[in-house]
Amino acid sequence: MKKGTKNKILATATSIPIILGIIIPLPLTVSIVILTIFIPLSAYYIGLVLMARAKTKKEEKERTKITFTGY
Amino acid sequence: MAYLSNINLPYMLLEIITAFIFGGLLLGLQRKVIARIQGRPGPPIVQHLLHTFKFYIKELSIPKTASMPLYVAIVMSLDGLWVLALIIGPILHGPLGIIILCYAIHKVSEHGIGLASGSPYTKMGSCRAVLSATAEMPLMAAAALVYFKTHTLILDGIINYQLVHGSLVMQLPLCALAMFILLVSKAPYSPFGIVWGKDIISGYKTEHFGVIRGVLMMGEILGYFVLLWCFLTLFFGGIVKTPLDYIIGMTIVTIVLGFICALTPMVAPYHSVMIQWIFAVLALINAVLV
């Protein structure tokens, strides 16, 4: 599996408990555990996905850049 | 505690996001104050938040000497710790003991972050984190004295006590001063900020780049917010009641901290610990006198 795909899956998987908690009413203790564990994890994996996207965009820009070497 | 039934995950998430944004703005304000005192225009107030977001799109490079997965996991644990402290303190008004526990463990996390990368600078930062752990004494002393005065360590009870008997700052002024010294030690560019002193580059976070640094900064923002909230609640609980009071109070404390940080050079590690111990002892003397 490609590293980018793995990070995307992990970013989704770590965000799911938080999204479920927003939709379904959960006991207070469960909510605290979910937020404590999954906020840092999802922040990290979402960050990795954003970083990869920014890197791809930068590479694309570099690749398509027209450079003039002289007259 | 009937209000606890209304607290759910979306509410807590909203509070965490609000604390993150407001805490980031406060740290930006502190940098602005420092810059103005030093005769510089300084960065915009929103800069600290932008700086945090910027790291999310920067490339993550992990040093060869780093011990994985500790290098990543310890930063996550630090972040989780501050989220927990935020939930227990400002959101639930729960036990103060858990917040103190979070402060104690955060020193261990700082030590771990420093050791995990394998760099000599971060190791030096982590050693200083252990050294400065003894300087957490003002918080312990403040908590103990607040307990002796109010007979409770539940934040809700402490707030109720102050609503009836007046703010604790009038009854335990030296104790409030000791806690304020702790605030000074936790503020960026602090005279007691030996853990991330510029003599060791950036201390324990020298080798943390990209997303990891972003997550680390997120935790620091939340930690700063929780500490300011604890200070205002513990000692100004009779005056500071509404969210607007907290916003005004935190802004004033941040400006004062900015002045102190701008005008005071960083002290040597041993002196830093010694000064904080002196203030902890002063707090204890206050308790004996009361």
Side-chain angles (χ1 to χ4, degrees), chain B residues 107-142:
Chain B
K107 280 288 164 197
V108 180
S109 301
E110 277 184 357
H111 185 64
I113 291 169
L115 289 182
S117 72
S119 154
Y121 296 112
T122 60
K123 277 181 187 168
M124 183 62 86
S126 70
C127 289
R128 286 187 181 184
V130 173
L131 182 71
S132 69
T134 55
E136 306 291 317
M137 276 313 289
L139 182 65
M140 309 290 177

Side-chain angles (χ1 to χ4, degrees), chain B:
Chain B
M1 301 290 259
Y3 72 95
L4 283 179
S5 57
N6 299 326
I7 293 177
N8 49 19
L9 193 139
Y11 174 80
M12 288 194 280
L13 193 62
L14 195 70
E15 289 263 347
I16 291 167
I17 294 167
T18 313
F20 170 68
I21 294 170
F22 187 59
L25 290 175
L26 284 176
L27 286 173
L29 175 70
Q30 197 218 12
R31 279 185 72 179
K32 191 80 179 171
V33 171
I34 292 175
R36 285 298 164 102
I37 292 168
Q38 292 172 346
R40 297 181 284 117
I45 289 171
V46 78
Q47 188 59 43
H48 197 83
L49 276 179
L50 295 178
H51 208 56
T52 308
F53 291 131
K54 181 193 79 179
F55 278 114
Y56 273 86
I57 52 167
K58 292 288 173 191
E59 195 168 351
L60 173 67
S61 52
I62 297 170
K64 267 186 180 177
T65 49
S67 61
M68 290 288 280
L70 189 69
Y71 180 78
V72 176
I74 200 88
V75 175
M76 302 291 121
S77 72
L78 186 72
D79 222 22
L81 210 59
W82 289 131
V83 171
L84 180 68
L86 185 73
I87 294 171
I88 299 295
I91 300 174
L92 297 180
H93 295 182
L96 182 64
I98 295 181
I99 297 177
I100 292 173
L101 192 69
C102 286
Y103 270 95
I105 301 173
H106 119 270
K107 280 288 164 197
V108 180
S109 301
E110 277 184 357
H111 185 64
I113 291 169
L115 289 182
S117 72
S119 154
Y121 296 112
T122 60
K123 277 181 187 168
M124 183 62 86
S126 70
C127 289
R128 286 187 181 184
V130 173
L131 182 71
S132 69
T134 55
E136 306 291 317
M137 276 313 289
L139 182 65
M140 309 290 177
L145 301 184
V146 165
Y147 175 74
F148 289 136
K149 194 77 187 164
T150 61
H151 302 293
T152 177
L153 268 182
I154 305 294
L155 285 160
D156 224 12
I158 296 169
I159 295 168
N160 288 337
Y161 175 89
Q162 291 181 79
L163 288 175
V164 177
H165 299 94
S167 295
L168 280 176
V169 68
M170 304 305 284
Q171 299 164 44
L172 299 168
L174 287 178
C175 190
L177 182 67
M179 180 86 177
F180 183 75
I181 292 298
L182 182 76
L183 280 183
V184 175
S185 76
K186 296 288 167 211
Y189 315 103
S190 152
F192 306 127
I194 54 171
V195 177
W196 53 81
K198 291 297 165 202
D199 53 333
I200 45 172
I201 319 297
S202 288
Y204 66 87
K205 46 189 179 182
T206 304
E207 297 286 346
H208 287 75
F209 317 104
V211 183
I212 292 272
R213 186 62 167 264
V215 176
L216 198 60
M217 286 178 79
M218 199 175 111
E220 282 173 1
I221 291 172
L222 293 179
Y224 184 72
F225 181 89
V226 172
L227 198 56
L228 283 186
W229 186 90
C230 279
F231 177 67
L232 290 174
T233 307
L234 285 181
F235 295 104
F236 295 89
I239 311 162
V240 182
K241 292 167 195 163
T242 61
L244 183 67
D245 294 341
Y246 274 102
I247 290 173
I248 295 167
M250 284 179 181
T251 310
I252 292 169
V253 174
T254 301
I255 291 170
V256 174
L257 288 177
F259 267 86
I260 294 170
C261 294
L263 299 171
T264 322
M266 187 180 285
V267 295
Y270 291 109
H271 293 158
S272 163
V273 174
M274 193 178 71
I275 292 167
Q276 290 179 71
W277 265 91
I278 288 170
F279 279 99
V281 171
L282 277 178
L284 290 170
I285 291 170
N286 189 185
V288 173
L289 291 176
V290 170

Side-chain angles (χ1 to χ4, degrees), chain A residues 4-70:
Chain A
T5 320
K6 191 180 143 195
N7 284 339
K8 273 181 193 169
I9 293 169
L10 283 169
T12 316
T14 49
S15 305
I16 283 173
I18 300 172
I19 296 164
L20 275 180
I22 293 169
I23 300 163
I24 308 161
L26 294 169
L28 189 64
T29 323
V30 180
S31 302
I32 293 172
V33 172
I34 285 177
L35 289 175
T36 308
I37 294 172
F38 289 102
I39 283 184
L41 279 177
S42 61
Y44 175 64
Y45 285 113
I46 290 169
L48 285 182
V49 174
L50 289 176
M51 181 199 80
R53 188 176 287 181
K55 201 178 167 187
T56 319
K57 269 188 182 173
K58 197 180 167 190
E59 280 170 3
E60 183 75 12
K61 211 174 166 184
E62 287 286 321
R63 204 161 50 81
T64 53
K65 199 166 73 180
I66 301 161
T67 48
F68 293 99
T69 50

